């Protein structure tokens, strides 16, 4: 720590040239540290989520396992591990077993390119506080997220259950819809930073964070990462009232636990990626960094990074305890008819402003005004689409009720007393 704060060279931002030079034991130590950090974050997130939602619903929440119920997540993990592992008879056993692994592994890999801090000294070795980095590191995160979708589809297909298969298909359609809009929200960041490397994107935000300059992209990403995570209000792939439990309907024991482990790890990765791209990464907020010169040196940036990530995790928890589940048609309309066209238009605006800046024009004020105006348009459009979708009647007003079996589908009438009354 003293070495880090003593020299200006050690406080420099890491670049791509600083990676690939660590000894094998340091690389292994970083990998173990990242894995342990994610597991600890998952356990704490489960506890915080239950406690916070419990307070929102005037309940106590977990308070028996350990002090303040802190060991409740560990107790649940042990309970799931000791449960009977039930495998249905007619499933494809190989795919049925491998699918949860395919879902979980990419969630851990995606966190490997997230910068946790600047250059630090570990047992005398200068190293970035980051496992690795690539010239296209952000694309690696998108690629691993797409691989996780394959695992979900295989979970539903191998279960030989129509409910699980429907959950897998829903998950695929949802991720495709929102991953395209998410990738489009990254384009504006790439244009301004001039790179796809996560460490260099953080370095490019040494002055102004992109949440200010690129607020519409930030708003689009926040909405799409809720759709990407598959949590309320976008948890349609596991709608209990419609398809029982989604892709994990037939799973139990450790396989069931791995599915939820992947969900919470993805939640942490999405929050960390948003922190990296829009909130300055590990950099301290302006009031702290302006009055304290060493705020962005040594191991302190790890604290600022974790505070930002936990702020987003709390935001996810708050939404789960506040918003209801949206309809599936609203989900698709928002992704294809609102977020994608808006993102394409916003990219054109950002590219134009970036071109003027390259020509030497002062576009700072124009960029801020345009960003907040576009953000206001996105918010108003989002609210309008949701309210209009809720106001749409389920059937045409005054339409005659059709007998259940008239079209060849033996389903019960939706309003039996009213139907028989009309007869």
């Amino acid at each position: 720590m003293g070495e880090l704060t003593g020299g200006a060279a050690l406080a420099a931002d890491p670049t791509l040239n600083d990676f690939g030079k660590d000894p094998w034991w340091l690389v292994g130590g970083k990998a173990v540290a990242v894995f342990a950090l994610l597991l600890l974050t998952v356990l704490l997130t489960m506890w915080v989520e239950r406690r916070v939602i419990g307070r929102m619903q005037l309940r106590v929440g977990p308070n028996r396992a350990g002090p303040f119920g802190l060991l409740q997540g560990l107790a649940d993990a042990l309970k799931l591990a000791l449960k009977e592992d039930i495998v249905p008879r007619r499933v494809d056993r190989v795919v049925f077993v491998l699918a949860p692994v395919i879902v979980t592994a990419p969630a851990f890999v995606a966190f490997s390119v997230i910068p946790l801090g600047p250059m630090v000294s570990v047992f005398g070795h200068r190293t970035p506080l980051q496992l690795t980095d690539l010239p296209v590191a952000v694309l690696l995160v998108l690629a691993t997220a797409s691989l996780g979708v394959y695992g979900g589809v295989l979970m539903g297909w191998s279960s030989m259950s129509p409910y699980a298969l429907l959950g897998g298909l829903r998950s695929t359609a949802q991720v495709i819809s929102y991953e395209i809009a998410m990738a489009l929200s990254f384009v504006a960041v790439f244009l301004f930073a001039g790179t796809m490397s996560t460490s260099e994107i953080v370095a490019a935000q040494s002055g102004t964070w992109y949440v200010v300059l690129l607020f519409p992209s930030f708003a689009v990403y926040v909405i799409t990462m809720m759709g990407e995570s598959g949590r309320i209000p976008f948890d349609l792939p596991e709608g209990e009232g419609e398809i029982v439990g989604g892709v994990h309907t037939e799973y139990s024991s450790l396989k069931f636990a791995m599915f939820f482990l992947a969900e919470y790890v993805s939640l942490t990765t999405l929050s960390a990626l948003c922190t990296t791209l829009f909130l300055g990464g590990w950099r301290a907020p302006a009031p702290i960094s302006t009055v304290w010169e060493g705020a962005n040196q040594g191991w302190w940036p790890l604290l600022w990074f974790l505070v930002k990530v936990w702020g987003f995790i709390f935001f996810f928890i708050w939404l789960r305890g506040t918003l209801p589940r949206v309809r599936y048609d609203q989900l698709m309309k928002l992704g294809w008819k609102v977020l994608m066209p808006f993102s394409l238009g916003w990219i054109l605006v950002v590219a134009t402003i970036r071109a003027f800046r390259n020509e030497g024009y002062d576009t700072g004020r124009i960029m801020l005004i345009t960003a907040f105006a576009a953000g206001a348009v996105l918010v108003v459009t989002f609210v309008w689409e949701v309210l209009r979708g809720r106001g749409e009647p389920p059937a045409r007003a005054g339409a005659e009720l059709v007998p259940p079996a008239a079209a060849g589908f033996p389903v019960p009438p939706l309003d039996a007393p009213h139907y028989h009354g009309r007869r």
Side-chain angles (χ1 to χ4, degrees):
M1 189 75 169
E3 295 178 11
L4 296 174
T5 58
L10 291 179
D13 294 336
T15 63
L16 286 172
N17 295 327
D18 295 317
F19 294 91
K21 301 178 180 179
D22 296 332
W24 64 270
W25 58 266
L26 186 54
V27 175
K30 284 184 177 182
V32 172
V34 169
F35 184 77
L37 175 64
L38 289 175
L39 289 183
L40 182 61
T41 304
V42 168
L43 293 177
L44 288 178
T45 302
M46 294 172 63
W47 177 79
V48 171
E49 185 171 35
R50 294 180 179 184
R51 295 285 290 191
V52 171
I53 294 181
R55 291 304 178 99
M56 289 180 176
Q57 299 174 349
L58 301 181
R59 297 184 289 105
V60 178
N63 62 349
R64 289 291 185 267
F68 306 103
L70 282 170
L71 300 179
Q72 185 63 50
L74 183 61
D76 290 340
L78 292 175
K79 179 188 71 173
L80 284 173
L82 297 176
K83 286 280 188 178
E84 181 182 1
D85 188 8
I86 301 174
V87 179
R89 290 182 179 179
R90 302 179 63 182
V91 302
D92 188 325
R93 288 182 175 270
V94 176
V95 180
F96 189 81
V97 173
L98 290 180
V101 179
I102 299 175
V103 172
T104 307
F108 284 93
V109 174
F111 204 86
S112 62
V113 297
I114 300 296
L116 307 180
M119 300 292 294
V120 296
S121 178
V122 179
F123 298 110
H125 290 271
R126 278 189 70 219
T127 181
L129 201 57
Q130 180 178 351
L131 181 56
T132 187
D133 196 7
L134 301 169
V136 290
V138 180
L139 296 185
L140 174 66
V141 179
L142 291 175
T144 53
S146 301
L147 286 176
V149 180
Y150 283 103
V153 174
L154 292 176
M155 288 175 68
W157 177 80
S158 64
S159 298
M160 297 298 176
S161 168
Y163 300 108
L165 182 59
L166 285 175
L169 295 177
R170 279 190 178 189
S171 177
T172 305
Q174 179 170 325
V175 170
I176 290 174
S177 304
Y178 283 81
E179 202 166 80
I180 295 175
M182 178 186 290
L184 292 176
S185 69
F186 294 162
V187 173
V189 176
F190 301 155
L191 288 174
F192 261 71
T195 180
M196 297 183 187
S197 165
T198 51
S199 60
E200 294 183 354
I201 289 175
V202 173
Q205 300 180 72
S206 57
T208 305
W209 293 356
Y210 289 153
V211 67
V212 178
L213 293 177
L214 305 173
F215 179 77
S217 297
F218 171 75
V220 170
Y221 178 79
V222 169
I223 297 173
T224 54
M225 75 177 184
M226 289 188 293
E228 184 83 8
S229 65
R231 290 169 57 90
I232 288 179
F234 299 149
D235 62 334
L236 277 303
E238 54 182 80
E240 295 87 355
E242 309 155 15
I243 50 177
V244 184
V247 294
H248 53 78
T249 301
E250 305 294 339
Y251 281 86
S252 59
S253 190
L254 281 178
K255 301 183 187 68
F256 184 80
M258 291 178 68
F259 180 86
F260 281 98
L261 175 64
E263 176 184 335
Y264 281 97
V265 172
S266 298
L267 179 67
T268 306
T269 303
L270 291 170
S271 302
L273 185 62
C274 188
T275 299
T276 301
L277 297 182
F278 297 102
L279 296 185
W282 43 262
R283 297 187 180 278
I288 299 176
S289 59
T290 52
V291 300
W292 182 15
E293 185 179 355
N296 291 325
Q297 300 176 6
W299 294 84
W300 286 108
L302 179 60
L303 175 62
W304 318 133
F305 176 82
L306 292 177
V307 168
K308 296 174 186 178
V309 170
W310 274 101
F312 274 105
I313 292 176
F314 177 81
F315 175 71
F316 273 103
I317 295 172
W318 174 56
L319 289 180
R320 179 175 182 178
T322 306
L323 298 179
R325 178 184 298 147
V326 301
R327 292 201 317 259
Y328 198 74
D329 61 325
Q330 293 175 335
L331 180 79
M332 292 291 105
K333 284 181 180 179
L334 178 63
W336 290 99
K337 294 186 177 182
V338 177
L339 297 180
M340 289 186 196
F342 176 83
S343 298
L344 290 172
W346 172 243
I347 289 173
L348 294 178
V349 173
V350 171
T352 303
I353 295 177
R354 186 63 178 173
F356 278 110
R357 175 178 290 187
N358 292 339
E359 294 296 328
Y361 293 94
D362 185 11
T363 58
R365 183 176 300 178
I366 298 176
M367 187 67 197
L368 290 177
I369 295 175
T370 306
F372 282 102
V377 171
L378 176 63
V379 172
V380 171
T381 306
F382 171 73
V383 174
W384 170 256
E385 284 291 331
V386 172
L387 293 179
R388 188 178 67 171
R390 290 183 178 180
E392 292 177 353
R396 199 161 43 86
E400 292 292 332
L401 292 177
V402 182
F409 298 99
V411 295
L414 298 178
D415 191 359
H418 181 63
Y419 173 72
H420 289 298
R422 294 194 64 171
R423 288 185 66 185

